[in-house]
Amino acid sequence: MSRADGVQDSVPEAGSPSCPAGVPVHVGIIMDGNGRWATSRKLPRVEGHRRGVEALRRCVRSAREIGIRFLTIYSFSSENWSRPVSEISELMGLLRRFLRHDLAELHAANVRVRIIGERASLSRDLSAMLDEAEALTAANTGLTLVVAFNYGSRQEIAEAAARLAAEVAAGTLRPEEITADLLGSRLLTAGIPDPDLIIRTSGEQRLSNFLLWQAAYAELVFLPIYWPDFDHAALLGALQEYARRDRRFGGLTARTGS
């Protein structure tokens, strides 16, 4: 896949030495059910979010062990601002603590961190922490952890289209030169392969404005467990379901590559 600057990124193919056979290159996860997990145990919703961070730590470790190359997590959507102010404040605090306490460990484990989403509305200190996480880990070559924070896929696509429209207006691009690949190169995920598998916990069966363009040919696996209960076994179960699927990408013959 080409980046917006035209440089061709090297993306591992499934079955290559850096990506074990049968393991998807890119897994996206909609981490759903923290609040319901807490409510079902008569605990404050914030406790569900705290346990959700623990599940995220487990998931990142498991992804590294299994050989997944890209892991994209839906941590906070642009629609989540409608939640109670106290809950939003706690979620922001959890992100700050995760970055402070886990960034050094992620860096030591050769994990690259990328953040996708709108940052202009974030507080200055949080935006600076996100910038630091990306800068510190930019040269790492292991798992790429993509954090979709304050992210909405429709807005991402609209902004990519606007950038192309501006280029046409400036005379640097002709309308007939616009292709799906070109628009994809203007998305926030430029340089990252499209997800092979998207997992959603909590039993809900929708994408909720997550990677809508990128998920065109992704396999979808919906798990009937809340996110705080997600563990290595749950990830393996989702990968086993993925391995049973025939991925034809619109053709007649199944393709094993990602």
Side-chain angles (χ1 to χ4, degrees):
M1 177 179 290
S2 297
R3 299 204 309 260
D5 57 11
V7 176
Q8 196 74 16
D9 281 289
S10 177
V11 175
E13 296 292 334
S16 71
S18 61
C19 184
V23 174
V25 172
H26 183 180
V27 174
I29 301 183
I30 302 172
M31 306 181 297
D32 194 19
N34 289 342
R36 279 167 286 171
W37 180 93
T39 300
S40 69
R41 290 163 173 77
K42 295 181 171 55
L43 296 170
R45 285 178 60 86
V46 65
E47 184 60 26
H49 294 309
R50 289 170 181 160
R51 297 296 183 90
V53 172
E54 295 176 8
L56 173 57
R57 293 187 180 109
R58 292 194 300 267
C59 182
V60 171
R61 285 195 296 268
S62 294
R64 290 178 50 236
E65 292 170 5
I66 291 169
I68 294 167
R69 297 294 296 159
F70 295 84
L71 176 67
T72 298
I73 58 166
Y74 203 11
S75 64
F76 190 85
S77 77
S78 54
E79 290 82 14
N80 286 156
W81 292 107
S82 62
R83 294 187 177 191
V85 173
S86 59
E87 184 171 348
I88 291 174
S89 178
E90 182 61 34
L91 288 168
M92 297 299 150
L94 284 172
L95 177 61
R96 288 183 175 91
R97 288 194 288 276
F98 179 78
L99 291 172
R100 288 194 189 103
H101 300 156
D102 292 70
L103 183 57
E105 181 179 343
L106 291 171
H107 182 44
N110 198 29
V111 174
R112 182 184 181 188
V113 178
R114 282 188 58 173
I115 316 293
I116 60 172
E118 191 272 319
R119 300 192 198 183
S121 60
L122 302 179
S123 66
R124 184 177 300 178
D125 74 305
L126 182 54
S127 183
M129 292 177 74
L130 298 178
D131 290 343
E132 178 187 357
E134 289 188 307
L136 177 65
T137 64
N140 291 345
T141 58
L143 170 72
T144 295
L145 175 63
V146 184
V147 181
F149 182 80
N150 198 21
Y151 170 85
S153 187
R154 285 183 171 180
Q155 184 64 21
E156 174 192 26
I157 296 168
E159 290 176 356
R163 282 191 283 273
L164 291 177
E167 293 177 42
V168 171
T172 59
L173 180 69
R174 296 194 304 273
E176 60 270 21
E177 294 177 319
I178 297 176
T179 64
D181 285 342
L182 186 63
L183 191 149
S185 74
R186 302 304 195 268
L187 296 174
L188 297 173
T189 53
I192 298 173
D194 289 341
D196 305 293
L197 167 65
I198 291 180
I199 302 167
R200 180 169 186 155
T201 56
S202 86
E204 303 290 351
Q205 299 186 18
R206 56 181 178 271
L207 289 177
S208 296
N209 206 16
F210 177 61
L211 300 181
L212 299 179
W213 178 279
Q214 299 87 337
Y217 289 103
E219 297 297 324
L220 308 179
V221 173
F222 302 104
L223 300 179
I225 61 172
Y226 295 135
W227 175 248
D229 291 326
F230 191 87
D231 56 13
H232 186 75
L235 179 57
L236 285 180
L239 295 181
Q240 288 167 357
E241 172 60 28
Y242 167 83
R244 288 192 286 268
R245 307 277 180 89
D246 290 331
R247 306 190 72 209
R248 293 185 171 82
F249 299 90
L252 297 178
T253 305
R255 284 162 52 185
T256 56
S258 296

mmCIF file of all heavy atoms in Angstrom, residues 18-19 26 52 56 81 83 96 120 123 143 149 163 169-170 183 187 194 201 207 209-210 213 248:
data_model
loop_
_atom_site.group_PDB
_atom_site.id
_atom_site.type_symbol
_atom_site.label_atom_id
_atom_site.label_comp_id
_atom_site.label_asym_id
_atom_site.label_seq_id
_atom_site.Cartn_x
_atom_site.Cartn_y
_atom_site.Cartn_z
ATOM 1 N N SER A 18 7.705 -13.302 8.725
ATOM 2 C CA SER A 18 7.289 -12.357 9.761
ATOM 3 C C SER A 18 5.805 -12.465 10.085
ATOM 4 O O SER A 18 5.313 -11.795 10.970
ATOM 5 C CB SER A 18 7.604 -10.928 9.311
ATOM 6 O OG SER A 18 6.899 -10.627 8.128
ATOM 7 N N CYS A 19 5.087 -13.313 9.356
ATOM 8 C CA CYS A 19 3.653 -13.507 9.613
ATOM 9 C C CYS A 19 3.324 -14.990 9.430
ATOM 10 O O CYS A 19 3.228 -15.463 8.308
ATOM 11 C CB CYS A 19 2.818 -12.661 8.656
ATOM 12 S SG CYS A 19 1.045 -12.754 8.994
ATOM 13 N N HIS A 26 -3.475 -8.160 9.870
ATOM 14 C CA HIS A 26 -4.056 -7.010 10.564
ATOM 15 C C HIS A 26 -5.382 -7.415 11.202
ATOM 16 O O HIS A 26 -6.291 -7.889 10.523
ATOM 17 C CB HIS A 26 -4.262 -5.866 9.565
ATOM 18 C CG HIS A 26 -4.781 -4.606 10.181
ATOM 19 N ND1 HIS A 26 -5.021 -3.471 9.427
ATOM 20 C CD2 HIS A 26 -5.117 -4.280 11.452
ATOM 21 C CE1 HIS A 26 -5.469 -2.503 10.223
ATOM 22 N NE2 HIS A 26 -5.550 -2.986 11.458
ATOM 23 N N GLY A 52 -11.143 -3.102 31.419
ATOM 24 C CA GLY A 52 -10.947 -3.115 29.975
ATOM 25 C C GLY A 52 -9.508 -2.795 29.593
ATOM 26 O O GLY A 52 -8.977 -3.347 28.622
ATOM 27 N N LEU A 56 -6.872 -5.021 27.441
ATOM 28 C CA LEU A 56 -6.069 -4.503 26.326
ATOM 29 C C LEU A 56 -4.613 -4.924 26.475
ATOM 30 O O LEU A 56 -3.979 -5.327 25.494
ATOM 31 C CB LEU A 56 -6.180 -2.980 26.271
ATOM 32 C CG LEU A 56 -5.269 -2.271 25.266
ATOM 33 C CD1 LEU A 56 -5.513 -2.792 23.851
ATOM 34 C CD2 LEU A 56 -5.478 -0.762 25.329
ATOM 35 N N TRP A 81 -18.446 11.279 22.865
ATOM 36 C CA TRP A 81 -18.520 12.529 23.618
ATOM 37 C C TRP A 81 -19.903 12.763 24.198
ATOM 38 O O TRP A 81 -20.070 13.606 25.094
ATOM 39 C CB TRP A 81 -18.122 13.710 22.731
ATOM 40 C CG TRP A 81 -16.678 13.704 22.340
ATOM 41 C CD1 TRP A 81 -16.170 13.407 21.117
ATOM 42 C CD2 TRP A 81 -15.550 14.002 23.178
ATOM 43 N NE1 TRP A 81 -14.796 13.488 21.130
ATOM 44 C CE2 TRP A 81 -14.390 13.861 22.377
ATOM 45 C CE3 TRP A 81 -15.413 14.366 24.526
ATOM 46 C CZ2 TRP A 81 -13.108 14.075 22.889
ATOM 47 C CZ3 TRP A 81 -14.134 14.565 25.030
ATOM 48 C CH2 TRP A 81 -12.999 14.430 24.207
ATOM 49 N N ARG A 83 -21.482 10.757 26.022
ATOM 50 C CA ARG A 83 -21.588 10.083 27.310
ATOM 51 C C ARG A 83 -21.495 11.086 28.461
ATOM 52 O O ARG A 83 -21.080 12.224 28.268
ATOM 53 C CB ARG A 83 -20.477 9.028 27.438
ATOM 54 C CG ARG A 83 -20.611 7.885 26.451
ATOM 55 C CD ARG A 83 -19.607 6.790 26.726
ATOM 56 N NE ARG A 83 -19.794 5.677 25.816
ATOM 57 C CZ ARG A 83 -19.189 4.483 25.949
ATOM 58 N NH1 ARG A 83 -18.359 4.276 26.959
ATOM 59 N NH2 ARG A 83 -19.418 3.527 25.080
ATOM 60 N N ARG A 96 -4.499 8.497 29.726
ATOM 61 C CA ARG A 96 -3.271 9.130 30.212
ATOM 62 C C ARG A 96 -2.441 8.142 31.015
ATOM 63 O O ARG A 96 -1.224 8.041 30.835
ATOM 64 C CB ARG A 96 -3.604 10.350 31.066
ATOM 65 C CG ARG A 96 -4.117 11.555 30.291
ATOM 66 C CD ARG A 96 -4.338 12.735 31.233
ATOM 67 N NE ARG A 96 -4.722 13.936 30.519
ATOM 68 C CZ ARG A 96 -5.981 14.291 30.256
ATOM 69 N NH1 ARG A 96 -6.981 13.514 30.657
ATOM 70 N NH2 ARG A 96 -6.234 15.408 29.598
ATOM 71 N N ALA A 120 -7.598 17.960 17.307
ATOM 72 C CA ALA A 120 -7.704 19.405 17.537
ATOM 73 C C ALA A 120 -8.520 19.732 18.779
ATOM 74 O O ALA A 120 -8.239 20.719 19.471
ATOM 75 C CB ALA A 120 -8.315 20.078 16.310
ATOM 76 N N SER A 123 -7.294 18.065 24.808
ATOM 77 C CA SER A 123 -6.495 18.954 25.653
ATOM 78 C C SER A 123 -5.051 18.927 25.188
ATOM 79 O O SER A 123 -4.585 17.945 24.598
ATOM 80 C CB SER A 123 -6.584 18.512 27.114
ATOM 81 O OG SER A 123 -5.981 17.238 27.284
ATOM 82 N N LEU A 143 5.136 -5.435 16.392
ATOM 83 C CA LEU A 143 3.713 -5.171 16.261
ATOM 84 C C LEU A 143 3.450 -3.668 16.153
ATOM 85 O O LEU A 143 4.036 -2.874 16.898
ATOM 86 C CB LEU A 143 2.977 -5.723 17.488
ATOM 87 C CG LEU A 143 1.501 -5.337 17.636
ATOM 88 C CD1 LEU A 143 0.649 -6.067 16.610
ATOM 89 C CD2 LEU A 143 1.002 -5.632 19.047
ATOM 90 N N PHE A 149 -8.626 6.760 18.371
ATOM 91 C CA PHE A 149 -9.078 7.567 19.504
ATOM 92 C C PHE A 149 -9.692 8.859 18.991
ATOM 93 O O PHE A 149 -9.090 9.557 18.188
ATOM 94 C CB PHE A 149 -7.890 7.875 20.429
ATOM 95 C CG PHE A 149 -8.274 8.665 21.646
ATOM 96 C CD1 PHE A 149 -8.856 8.029 22.730
ATOM 97 C CD2 PHE A 149 -8.084 10.031 21.696
ATOM 98 C CE1 PHE A 149 -9.235 8.745 23.850
ATOM 99 C CE2 PHE A 149 -8.456 10.758 22.803
ATOM 100 C CZ PHE A 149 -9.041 10.120 23.889
ATOM 101 N N ARG A 163 -9.757 16.531 0.832
ATOM 102 C CA ARG A 163 -8.360 16.769 0.437
ATOM 103 C C ARG A 163 -8.183 16.557 -1.068
ATOM 104 O O ARG A 163 -7.470 17.312 -1.737
ATOM 105 C CB ARG A 163 -7.426 15.863 1.237
ATOM 106 C CG ARG A 163 -7.185 16.349 2.660
ATOM 107 C CD ARG A 163 -6.055 15.585 3.323
ATOM 108 N NE ARG A 163 -6.480 14.261 3.749
ATOM 109 C CZ ARG A 163 -7.048 14.014 4.939
ATOM 110 N NH1 ARG A 163 -7.268 14.999 5.781
ATOM 111 N NH2 ARG A 163 -7.396 12.785 5.282
ATOM 112 N N ALA A 169 -9.154 21.385 -7.178
ATOM 113 C CA ALA A 169 -9.361 22.827 -7.275
ATOM 114 C C ALA A 169 -8.059 23.571 -7.505
ATOM 115 O O ALA A 169 -8.018 24.592 -8.199
ATOM 116 C CB ALA A 169 -10.039 23.338 -5.999
ATOM 117 N N ALA A 170 -6.971 23.032 -6.943
ATOM 118 C CA ALA A 170 -5.661 23.675 -7.099
ATOM 119 C C ALA A 170 -5.015 23.346 -8.435
ATOM 120 O O ALA A 170 -3.968 23.923 -8.785
ATOM 121 C CB ALA A 170 -4.744 23.256 -5.960
ATOM 122 N N LEU A 183 -7.829 7.534 -2.980
ATOM 123 C CA LEU A 183 -8.574 7.988 -1.809
ATOM 124 C C LEU A 183 -8.074 7.277 -0.552
ATOM 125 O O LEU A 183 -7.917 7.898 0.503
ATOM 126 C CB LEU A 183 -10.074 7.754 -1.992
ATOM 127 C CG LEU A 183 -10.972 8.429 -0.946
ATOM 128 C CD1 LEU A 183 -12.315 8.815 -1.564
ATOM 129 C CD2 LEU A 183 -11.210 7.541 0.263
ATOM 130 N N LEU A 187 -6.478 8.507 3.600
ATOM 131 C CA LEU A 187 -7.102 8.170 4.875
ATOM 132 C C LEU A 187 -6.073 8.196 6.004
ATOM 133 O O LEU A 187 -4.863 8.188 5.769
ATOM 134 C CB LEU A 187 -7.744 6.778 4.796
ATOM 135 C CG LEU A 187 -8.897 6.610 3.799
ATOM 136 C CD1 LEU A 187 -9.324 5.153 3.728
ATOM 137 C CD2 LEU A 187 -10.078 7.496 4.170
ATOM 138 N N ASP A 194 -5.182 -3.035 4.954
ATOM 139 C CA ASP A 194 -6.564 -3.159 5.401
ATOM 140 C C ASP A 194 -6.696 -4.340 6.363
ATOM 141 O O ASP A 194 -5.969 -5.339 6.243
ATOM 142 C CB ASP A 194 -7.494 -3.379 4.204
ATOM 143 C CG ASP A 194 -7.639 -2.126 3.350
ATOM 144 O OD1 ASP A 194 -7.340 -1.020 3.850
ATOM 145 O OD2 ASP A 194 -8.051 -2.252 2.180
ATOM 146 N N THR A 201 -16.578 -7.484 20.610
ATOM 147 C CA THR A 201 -17.063 -8.177 21.794
ATOM 148 C C THR A 201 -18.444 -7.647 22.187
ATOM 149 O O THR A 201 -18.943 -6.691 21.608
ATOM 150 C CB THR A 201 -16.081 -7.997 22.958
ATOM 151 O OG1 THR A 201 -15.872 -6.593 23.191
ATOM 152 C CG2 THR A 201 -14.740 -8.648 22.644
ATOM 153 N N LEU A 207 -20.485 -2.408 12.941
ATOM 154 C CA LEU A 207 -19.155 -1.801 12.926
ATOM 155 C C LEU A 207 -19.096 -0.473 13.669
ATOM 156 O O LEU A 207 -18.003 -0.026 14.049
ATOM 157 C CB LEU A 207 -18.683 -1.600 11.482
ATOM 158 C CG LEU A 207 -18.328 -2.874 10.723
ATOM 159 C CD1 LEU A 207 -17.955 -2.543 9.282
ATOM 160 C CD2 LEU A 207 -17.180 -3.606 11.396
ATOM 161 N N ASN A 209 -19.211 2.675 12.879
ATOM 162 C CA ASN A 209 -18.375 3.744 12.318
ATOM 163 C C ASN A 209 -16.877 3.473 12.503
ATOM 164 O O ASN A 209 -16.086 4.400 12.652
ATOM 165 C CB ASN A 209 -18.750 5.103 12.936
ATOM 166 C CG ASN A 209 -18.435 6.270 12.022
ATOM 167 O OD1 ASN A 209 -18.212 6.119 10.822
ATOM 168 N ND2 ASN A 209 -18.391 7.461 12.593
ATOM 169 N N PHE A 210 -16.497 2.211 12.465
ATOM 170 C CA PHE A 210 -15.100 1.811 12.646
ATOM 171 C C PHE A 210 -14.554 1.247 11.337
ATOM 172 O O PHE A 210 -15.052 0.240 10.833
ATOM 173 C CB PHE A 210 -15.018 0.760 13.753
ATOM 174 C CG PHE A 210 -13.632 0.206 14.001
ATOM 175 C CD1 PHE A 210 -12.590 1.027 14.391
ATOM 176 C CD2 PHE A 210 -13.386 -1.156 13.877
ATOM 177 C CE1 PHE A 210 -11.327 0.521 14.648
ATOM 178 C CE2 PHE A 210 -12.126 -1.680 14.140
ATOM 179 C CZ PHE A 210 -11.096 -0.841 14.519
ATOM 180 N N TRP A 213 -14.316 2.047 5.351
ATOM 181 C CA TRP A 213 -13.673 1.888 4.042
ATOM 182 C C TRP A 213 -12.722 0.695 4.068
ATOM 183 O O TRP A 213 -12.728 -0.154 3.173
ATOM 184 C CB TRP A 213 -12.925 3.174 3.685
ATOM 185 C CG TRP A 213 -12.171 3.125 2.391
ATOM 186 C CD1 TRP A 213 -10.933 2.572 2.172
ATOM 187 C CD2 TRP A 213 -12.598 3.657 1.127
ATOM 188 N NE1 TRP A 213 -10.566 2.724 0.862
ATOM 189 C CE2 TRP A 213 -11.565 3.381 0.196
ATOM 190 C CE3 TRP A 213 -13.737 4.342 0.715
ATOM 191 C CZ2 TRP A 213 -11.662 3.778 -1.130
ATOM 192 C CZ3 TRP A 213 -13.825 4.728 -0.609
ATOM 193 C CH2 TRP A 213 -12.793 4.447 -1.519
ATOM 194 N N ARG A 248 -12.602 -14.787 -0.657
ATOM 195 C CA ARG A 248 -12.597 -14.741 -2.128
ATOM 196 C C ARG A 248 -12.444 -13.333 -2.682
ATOM 197 O O ARG A 248 -12.202 -13.164 -3.861
ATOM 198 C CB ARG A 248 -13.888 -15.373 -2.666
ATOM 199 C CG ARG A 248 -13.973 -16.873 -2.392
ATOM 200 C CD ARG A 248 -15.199 -17.476 -3.055
ATOM 201 N NE ARG A 248 -15.175 -18.923 -2.989
ATOM 202 C CZ ARG A 248 -15.547 -19.640 -1.942
ATOM 203 N NH1 ARG A 248 -15.990 -19.032 -0.860
ATOM 204 N NH2 ARG A 248 -15.491 -20.959 -1.956
#
